[in-house]
Amino acid sequence: AGAMGGGMRGRRLAALKSANESREPKFVIAARELVLAAPSLRPRYSRNPLCEPCDDAGAEFSVAARWAADARALCDWDAMPPALDVAHPEGGAVPADRGERKRQQLLNVALFVAPALRLNPRAKVVDFGAGGGHQSLFLARAFPEATFCLVDLKRRSLDVASRRVQQAGLKNVRIVHGRIEDFREDFDVGV
């Protein structure tokens, strides 16, 4: 145990301190921490083209860098249809002052969800509490073989999601109005 505490909490605090000092994006730090803290995940993701080869010296960092690069590519907002860009006026009714922060959040979502979708491109993804679909619609565009189900109780939010799905021409998205607790379908990835 060091000055910041031992175990996972101490590593996490040290990583955050390092991120603040180096100005390295927090999602890169998070990916590196994930791989370092859970080396048993590496073989599971070895079929992921972003992670091969995982046996190189320093692979913990190259895996994190590959995941981060993939997340950035998935979040290329300039190439995104306006309906899927949360910072665009047509992109989901996010106030202009929140658009950039929302983009950062989606970058983090892509960082952790994309590897699972790379392993299973035909995955069934459920976005629980989907609202306007911010967390999953950009992924539905990037992974057209996967199926996405947006579940929410608020009809108004699902109307926004439905409009965005239609404007973006997404064919792999289904919208379910209802309570999360009542959703009983099988799925591979939950967001």
Side-chain angles (χ1 to χ4, degrees):
M4 294 190 147
M8 179 62 103
R9 186 171 189 277
R11 286 191 301 274
R12 200 180 245 152
L13 290 172
L16 288 173
K17 182 178 181 208
S18 172
N20 288 333
E21 290 172 358
S22 69
R23 293 294 185 219
E24 188 173 29
K26 289 181 182 172
F27 68 93
V28 173
I29 302 278
R32 185 178 304 121
E33 180 182 333
L34 175 67
V35 174
L36 287 172
S40 63
L41 289 179
R42 266 185 263 150
R44 182 174 177 196
Y45 285 109
S46 64
R47 293 185 326 232
N48 184 336
L50 300 172
C51 300
E52 292 176 355
C54 289
D55 297 331
D56 292 346
E60 297 88 358
F61 300 103
S62 63
V63 170
R66 288 184 180 131
W67 285 0
D70 188 42
R72 284 188 195 104
L74 291 170
C75 295
D76 181 359
W77 304 113
D78 293 333
M80 194 82 56
L84 300 182
D85 179 0
V86 294
H88 192 279
E90 296 174 27
V94 172
D97 61 331
R98 286 189 49 221
E100 209 47 51
R101 283 189 321 194
K102 195 68 170 173
R103 281 179 170 180
Q104 181 66 38
Q105 176 191 10
L106 299 181
L107 189 61
N108 284 285
V109 169
L111 176 70
F112 291 101
V113 175
L117 294 174
R118 296 275 182 224
L119 281 175
N120 183 3
R122 294 179 181 202
K124 293 168 64 178
V125 180
V126 178
D127 187 347
F128 292 103
H134 302 300
Q135 293 190 128
S136 55
L137 293 183
F138 77 103
L139 291 169
R141 176 181 177 261
F143 297 95
E145 292 182 36
T147 56
F148 290 78
C149 181
L150 281 60
V151 180
D152 203 295
L153 189 56
K154 295 180 184 172
R155 173 56 67 194
R156 183 174 170 196
S157 295
L158 291 176
D159 289 344
V160 170
S162 181
R163 177 185 53 80
R164 295 175 72 212
V165 166
Q166 290 174 353
Q167 287 177 340
L170 299 174
K171 304 294 184 206
N172 58 338
V173 178
R174 184 169 60 96
I175 294 176
V176 174
H177 179 241
R179 294 175 357 133
I180 294 168
E181 297 86 353
D182 296 334
F183 188 81
R184 297 284 182 240
E185 297 175 28
D186 290 336
F187 59 93
D188 300 303
V189 179
V191 181

